[in-house]
Amino acid sequence: MAHMPAPADLTAISLPDALMADIERAGYYPALVADVIKAAVGSEDVHGHLVHQETTFDQDAVRRHITVFARTGTRLVVAHADDFPDHFSGAHEIATATTECIPLASVRGVMLTHVVGDPSSYVPGSLGSAVTLTIGWGAVSRVDLLPAQCNDPDCEGGDHGYDGTITSDDIALRISAEAEGREALDRAIEFARDLSASIGH
């Protein structure tokens, strides 16, 4: 009978204190989340991270999700965990935790969309009250098509085809200062800046 290889000794892998503190603060099965990140990161050092916990409402159920970005010197590790009822036992929940490792050279773009309420009263340096952080590495692309416009005022409405854009948005997170605090918003902006500076070399 074949023997399964022993799992990696995750106790020998350490994550930065700041990353561990953010995972603990999120409160979503922190031991599990830390272990899946350790298993993906391995012996590499983590140079930047972002932890985002989100609660959603699914019919009568409240579901929690957590997404963690960890940037090493060579890779972007994306971890996502959520839970759902075990329909077989009916008494327990099942958690799934998935990691994806993307070479930094493959990250195609880091996009920040700033949401600014009442822009006429914008305070310089505040960068708005929420951001959407979008990271693309080519695994998922979206095609947006619109009927092509004609600039000829004498045109009588022939078929001009379509104009389209292809955007890569493999993952997008929305972080709100109102819901999660200004510190969480600032951390997201800082992580986006750090990741942007690390790609394309």
Side-chain angles (χ1 to χ4, degrees):
M1 181 176 179
H3 292 283
M4 294 293 292
D9 181 8
L10 298 180
T11 61
I13 301 172
S14 61
L15 298 175
D17 291 342
L19 173 53
M20 289 299 300
D22 286 349
I23 292 171
E24 291 283 349
R25 187 180 302 112
Y28 183 89
Y29 305 120
L32 168 64
V33 172
D35 273 358
V36 297
I37 295 169
K38 288 179 182 180
V41 168
S43 60
E44 286 194 88
D45 292 332
V46 174
H47 300 293
H49 74 273
L50 180 65
V51 177
H52 182 256
Q53 193 267 328
E54 183 180 12
T55 302
T56 58
F57 300 92
D58 182 10
Q59 296 178 345
D60 296 330
V62 177
R63 296 185 59 195
R64 297 181 302 153
H65 316 262
I66 190 169
T67 302
V68 180
F69 297 129
R71 183 188 68 80
T72 73
T74 62
R75 298 177 296 155
L76 173 64
V77 175
V78 181
H80 182 79
D82 56 9
D83 52 47
F84 50 90
D86 182 352
H87 294 294
F88 292 102
S89 71
H92 302 287
E93 289 185 331
I94 294 176
T96 60
T98 305
T99 56
E100 183 171 1
C101 299
I102 303 101
L104 289 179
S106 296
V107 177
R108 297 182 178 181
V110 180
M111 182 171 67
L112 268 182
T113 301
H114 297 267
V115 179
V116 180
D118 190 13
S120 63
S121 301
Y122 175 74
V123 176
S126 66
L127 293 176
S129 59
V131 296
T132 298
L133 169 61
T134 306
I135 302 173
W137 55 89
V140 176
S141 294
R142 184 181 72 245
V143 180
D144 294 319
L145 293 176
L146 293 172
Q149 299 296 313
C150 180
N151 296 323
D152 182 357
D154 298 323
C155 178
E156 298 190 4
D159 183 0
H160 299 289
Y162 291 88
D163 287 330
T165 57
I166 299 176
T167 55
S168 173
D169 55 353
D170 295 292
I171 191 166
L173 298 179
R174 187 176 191 277
I175 299 96
S176 165
E178 182 177 343
E180 298 153 86
R182 184 72 211 188
E183 185 179 351
L185 187 64
D186 291 342
R187 283 198 300 265
I189 295 171
E190 180 182 355
F191 176 78
R193 184 168 53 238
D194 169 74
L195 181 60
S196 296
S198 303
I199 63 175
H201 299 296

